[in-house]
Amino acid sequence: MSRRSGNCVRCCLVIFAVVSALAVCGPALFWRFKKGVSLGDNKSSCPPCNCDCPPPLSLLKIAPGLANLSVTDCGSNDPDIKQEMEKQFVDLLTEELKLQEAVAEEHLRHMNITFGEAKRVASQYQKEAEKCNAATETCEEARERAEALLIKERKVTSLWERRAQQMGWEGE
């Protein structure tokens, strides 16, 4: 990107930032300015409202059966809820602690299983890596032997070529 186009992009970003700031803050500043200018003018721009609205409906008129209920008899007909509500605070805390302990034990069991699985997989990968290293060493040894044999074969070939040239062979 050339220097001129970089300056153009920078200028566009600055203009965008200023326009964004004005779009966000502009309406609030406009109304504050307008409110500040019209302080000397105490006349309101609209007349007071005259409403003939009906009174709001009460809860008793909408659902008269709800007026008979209170918090204390909520669920009194359900034996399970009644039994829960009769428990003491200490019993509830004890039950909550037992539930949290059960969740923690389940979490620990799951974590131990996952850890054991990870150890098994790591061991398997370690064995595979050892096999790979052994195969690499075997390959390297075979390559070194082949290289030594090639050097030896070149020496023998060179020796035979010299003998052949001494006996009059002119080569290729």
Side-chain angles (χ1 to χ4, degrees):
M1 185 152 74
S2 70
R3 187 178 190 111
R4 184 175 178 167
S5 62
N7 287 337
C8 181
V9 169
R10 188 176 296 129
C11 183
C12 288
L13 285 175
V14 168
I15 291 171
F16 178 74
V18 170
V19 169
S20 298
L22 287 176
V24 171
C25 299
L29 293 174
F30 172 75
W31 288 110
R32 181 171 288 202
F33 178 72
K34 186 175 178 184
K35 193 175 184 182
V37 169
S38 67
L39 280 179
D41 220 4
N42 283 340
K43 297 179 184 177
S44 64
S45 61
C46 64
C49 296
N50 293 328
C51 298
D52 289 333
C53 301
L57 294 174
S58 70
L59 187 58
L60 294 174
K61 289 181 181 176
I62 294 174
L66 289 178
N68 299 349
L69 296 178
S70 67
V71 176
T72 57
D73 61 337
C74 177
S76 62
N77 296 335
D78 189 2
D80 293 333
I81 294 178
K82 191 172 185 179
Q83 182 183 5
E84 274 300 310
M85 297 304 284
E86 289 174 356
K87 287 184 178 177
Q88 294 296 320
F89 183 69
V90 174
D91 295 336
L92 291 174
L93 283 177
T94 305
E95 187 176 334
E96 179 67 23
L97 286 174
K98 286 180 182 176
L99 286 173
Q100 286 183 2
E101 185 180 354
V103 168
E105 286 175 359
E106 178 63 25
H107 180 71
L108 183 63
R109 186 184 68 77
H110 177 71
M111 187 178 63
N112 285 338
I113 290 172
T114 304
F115 183 67
E117 183 70 18
K119 282 173 58 175
R120 185 188 64 78
V121 170
S123 174
Q124 182 178 356
Y125 284 140
Q126 183 67 33
K127 288 177 185 174
E128 290 294 321
E130 288 171 1
K131 286 180 188 177
C132 186
N133 286 340
T136 302
E137 287 177 11
T138 304
C139 259
E140 187 64 26
E141 289 171 1
R143 185 194 61 78
E144 288 172 359
R145 281 192 306 253
E147 188 176 353
L149 286 173
L150 181 63
I151 291 171
K152 190 175 182 181
E153 188 66 31
R154 284 185 180 158
K155 286 180 183 177
V156 170
T157 302
S158 175
L159 177 69
W160 279 105
E161 281 183 1
R162 269 188 272 132
R163 286 185 184 169
Q165 287 174 353
Q166 287 174 354
M167 298 185 92
W169 180 67
E170 294 182 14
E172 298 174 11

